[in-house]
Amino acid sequence: MANELKIGIILGSTRPGRVSPQVGKWVKEIADKRNDATYEIVDIRTFNLPFLGDPDGEAQFNAWKEKLNTLDGFVFIVAEYNHSITGALKNALDCARDEWNNKAAGIVSYGSTGGARAAEHLRGILGELSVADVRIHPTLSLFLDFENFTTFKPQALHLDNVNIMLDQVNAWSRALKPLRN
Ligand SMILES: Cc1cc2nc3c(=O)[nH]c(=O)nc-3n(C[C@H](O)[C@H](O)[C@H](O)COP(=O)(O)O)c2cc1C
């Protein structure tokens, strides 16, 4: 369907042993039940992005931008590293510009305080990239939503927040469409 929304669920961490794939899979499973958009996992790690400016990185930078161009909106899966987002996510954000503009985004974060500090940093960056970040923000606790900080066992209370966040991301992604055409 030409009008269909495509939402990328962006895994924001790349280290070996990361938990972001578990969190992203959970969000996608919830999202896929809604039948209101096409959701796909977008794993930064698979793009092997060098740091912005690397003269040998053109193919990777282009592949990343091409992927972003196919998407109407985003859900960022955000790990908190040193009270901010990961370096990998910051670099991925920096490696595109127009491709982010006039799209909507939700944030699902995790950390010892639900990843709240990282999420707030991300909101500032998204403003500069003209991405409209929605209010509802599921925050996952490393203590309460993971076993041994590694196996994701989300509490049931997060389900409603994920769905309301997706309602907002889809509504704004659709509303901003005329500005992207
Ligand atoms: C370099 C580094 C810094 C971290 N700093 C914080 C922090 O400031 N606050 C916090 O709540 N958790 C912090 N953590 C814990 C991470 O949030 C936790 O390990 C989480 O699982 C990381 O996400 P990932 O497994 O997807 O990489 C840090 C972890 C790493 C590797």
Side-chain angles (χ1 to χ4, degrees), residues 21-34:
Q22 296 180 64
V23 179
K25 180 169 175 277
W26 171 72
V27 170
K28 186 170 187 303
E29 282 169 3
I30 296 168
D32 283 343
K33 291 194 181 118
R34 299 163 53 93

Side-chain angles (χ1 to χ4, degrees), residues 13 15 17-20 79-83 110-113 117 142 149:
S13 64
R15 71 179 179 96
R18 66 196 170 144
V19 301
S20 56
E80 183 167 306
Y81 281 14
N82 296 316
H83 289 203
Y110 52 93
S112 59
T113 57
R117 295 165 294 213
L142 286 177
F149 305 108

Side-chain angles (χ1 to χ4, degrees), residues 144-178:
L144 302 175
D145 296 302
F146 292 83
E147 249 174 39
N148 299 320
F149 305 108
T150 48
T151 305
F152 185 44
K153 296 262 172 84
Q155 300 170 93
L157 60 92
H158 297 299
L159 180 62
D160 281 353
N161 266 352
V162 172
N163 272 310
I164 300 168
M165 180 266 298
L166 291 171
D167 289 345
Q168 297 182 342
V169 170
N170 291 348
W172 282 11
S173 296
R174 203 177 295 284
L176 289 168
K177 230 173 188 175

Side-chain angles (χ1 to χ4, degrees), residues 97-153:
R97 186 163 184 87
D98 296 350
E99 295 78 7
W100 294 112
N101 291 176
N102 298 317
K103 298 177 180 178
I107 298 170
V108 176
S109 64
Y110 52 93
S112 59
T113 57
R117 295 165 294 213
E120 291 303 307
H121 277 186
L122 178 58
R123 286 186 189 278
I125 297 163
L126 294 178
E128 176 58 17
L129 289 170
S130 294
V131 175
D133 50 310
V134 305
R135 182 168 74 88
I136 296 294
H137 160 205
T139 52
L140 305 166
S141 163
L142 286 177
F143 300 106
L144 302 175
D145 296 302
F146 292 83
E147 249 174 39
N148 299 320
F149 305 108
T150 48
T151 305
F152 185 44
K153 296 262 172 84

